[in-house]
Amino acid sequence: MQSWILDESPGNYRFGEIDIPDPAAGGVRVRVVASALNHMDLWVTRGLPKPPVPHVPGADGAGVIESIGEGVTSVAVGDEVVLNPAISCRRCPTCLSGESPLCRSFGILGEHRWGTHSEFVLVPAENVLPKPAELGWAEAAAYPLCHLTAWRMLRRARLVAGESMLVVGVGGGVSSAGLALGLAMGAQVFVTSRDASKRQRALDLGAAGAFDSGEEFPIKSDVVFENVGAATWDRSLRALAPGGRLVTCGGTAGSKVEISLPRLFFKQHEIIGSTMGSYAEFDAVSKVVGSGGAAVAVDEVIDGLEGFPRALERLEAGQQLGKLVLMH
Ligand SMILES: [Zn+2]
């Protein structure tokens, strides 16, 4: 199959041919119709983490079932599907209790296993869902990782209708999904960005207010939705109302932060970590997105798998507002 291939990490991608096996028992092979970029596509080239090589990147995708392994009855050849990028063993007590992101063998498509920037991809049959009929291929490829991550973050932060939420650094995939899902849940959502055009776009999408990420946030909110890290951390904590919850899934602008303990306990704040999501959470967020309940922001659809390097450059420059999608 034709794929983007990483021969060493740190290293650079090359476009070439690589053999892909038949699906194992319980697995399926999907012909990828569209794949979307994530920052992980950059991190694996820097050894963060180091995938087994040769490696094929790409966490997000949608396509058509091309072949099924022994014992697979949930899908058939020709079915149009979206891929759940969060893969766990599905058998241990943690998985069976519904908390698969805490499974010891939890992994992400395109991180420790071959991904979607390729003609074909192999996944367990449990990791495909029917493509929502209302979504085009680009949206279907664009939502899985970011909307799944944002959905679990909002669940773990216990956001409910009527509460206020601040999305720090709107523009990236997860924070755009946080805005859309927060609005879908009936929260009053505020955003921050350094970029005036991104602030305006968030207001157009329904945000109640938009602030400059470089200045003090003039708000006290019930939930703060973070993945910026050190660059905004202190202001994000100060933007919490008494009893507020800060939920974070990353630190794209610095991973070491400080916490003032008196402020934490006097204000009874909570700081919550979250990553990816469970099978049940993927089902749930797919229903919300598939029914049009939460917008999927697609910045650009690029024609052909060969457009990957240009898309990576745009991702690295942080110019995009939403997802970059390759139409294979
Ligand atoms: Zn497990």
Side-chain angles (χ1 to χ4, degrees):
M1 62 172 181
Q2 289 205 309
S3 298
W4 285 96
I5 302 161
L6 193 62
D7 293 308
E8 56 182 352
S9 175
N12 292 307
Y13 292 118
R14 68 178 169 88
F15 192 56
E17 286 278 340
I18 195 164
D19 289 334
I20 187 169
D22 288 329
V28 299
R29 187 163 60 201
V30 177
R31 180 174 63 79
V32 183
V33 174
S35 61
L37 277 78
N38 288 285
H39 280 279
M40 194 210 299
D41 300 335
L42 291 170
W43 294 333
V44 291
T45 67
R46 298 168 187 160
L48 303 166
K50 251 183 210 298
V53 290
H55 180 65
V56 175
D60 273 325
V64 179
I65 302 278
E66 185 253 351
S67 170
I68 60 173
E70 197 188 320
V72 173
T73 55
S74 54
V75 287
V77 170
D79 284 0
E80 296 185 349
V81 294
V82 293
L83 303 175
N84 173 357
I87 301 173
S88 70
C89 82
R90 309 176 301 287
R91 281 183 290 278
C92 73
T94 305
C95 284
L96 294 173
S97 74
E99 283 298 312
S100 54
L102 302 176
C103 172
R104 289 175 64 172
S105 65
F106 183 81
I108 305 172
L109 199 60
E111 184 177 54
H112 285 104
R113 47 195 301 154
W114 287 7
T116 55
H117 299 316
S118 179
E119 230 177 321
F120 298 102
V121 63
L122 293 171
V123 290
E126 289 95 330
N127 281 76
V128 302
L129 280 187
K131 180 174 90 64
E134 296 79 1
L135 294 187
W137 283 109
E139 285 78 18
Y143 86 84
L145 187 143
C146 289
H147 280 69
L148 174 63
T149 301
W151 182 257
R152 182 172 175 84
M153 287 172 75
L154 297 186
R155 273 187 25 118
R156 286 184 49 74
R158 308 187 304 281
L159 181 74
V160 295
E163 285 192 315
S164 57
M165 170 164 94
L166 178 68
V167 177
V168 180
V170 79
V174 173
S175 45
S176 299
L179 167 62
L181 291 170
L183 292 172
M185 290 167 83
Q188 195 183 22
V189 186
F190 299 83
V191 302
T192 84
S193 174
R194 280 173 303 183
D195 184 327
S197 66
K198 292 184 183 182
R199 294 198 294 270
Q200 186 54 51
R201 170 114 172 96
L203 292 169
D204 294 343
L205 287 169
F211 316 120
D212 191 325
S213 293
E215 293 168 12
E216 201 69 21
F217 307 148
I219 188 177
K220 299 287 181 199
S221 60
D222 300 305
V223 170
V224 171
F225 187 100
E226 250 286 347
N227 65 358
V228 179
T232 51
W233 183 259
D234 202 47
R235 279 172 285 132
S236 291
L237 281 179
R238 283 204 298 272
L240 281 173
R245 292 89 68 195
L246 181 149
V247 63
T248 176
C249 72
T252 51
S255 58
K256 288 275 198 304
V257 296
E258 282 188 0
I259 293 166
S260 156
L261 285 174
R263 192 162 65 211
L264 186 74
F265 64 73
F266 274 128
K267 303 277 186 190
Q268 303 190 53
H269 290 160
E270 293 176 55
I271 296 172
I272 301 167
S274 189
T275 194
M276 300 297 288
S278 68
Y279 286 87
E281 285 163 338
F282 189 69
D283 287 353
V285 78
S286 294
K287 286 195 179 85
V288 174
V289 173
S291 64
V296 180
V298 174
D299 178 89
E300 188 182 357
V301 179
I302 294 152
D303 212 18
L305 195 48
E306 298 82 354
F308 183 52
R310 186 172 70 79
L312 266 184
E313 270 176 33
R314 286 206 63 197
L315 185 73
E316 196 161 20
Q319 296 162 336
Q320 80 286 359
L321 239 173
K323 302 294 285 183
L324 299 163
V325 179
L326 305 175
M327 198 64 71
H328 295 202

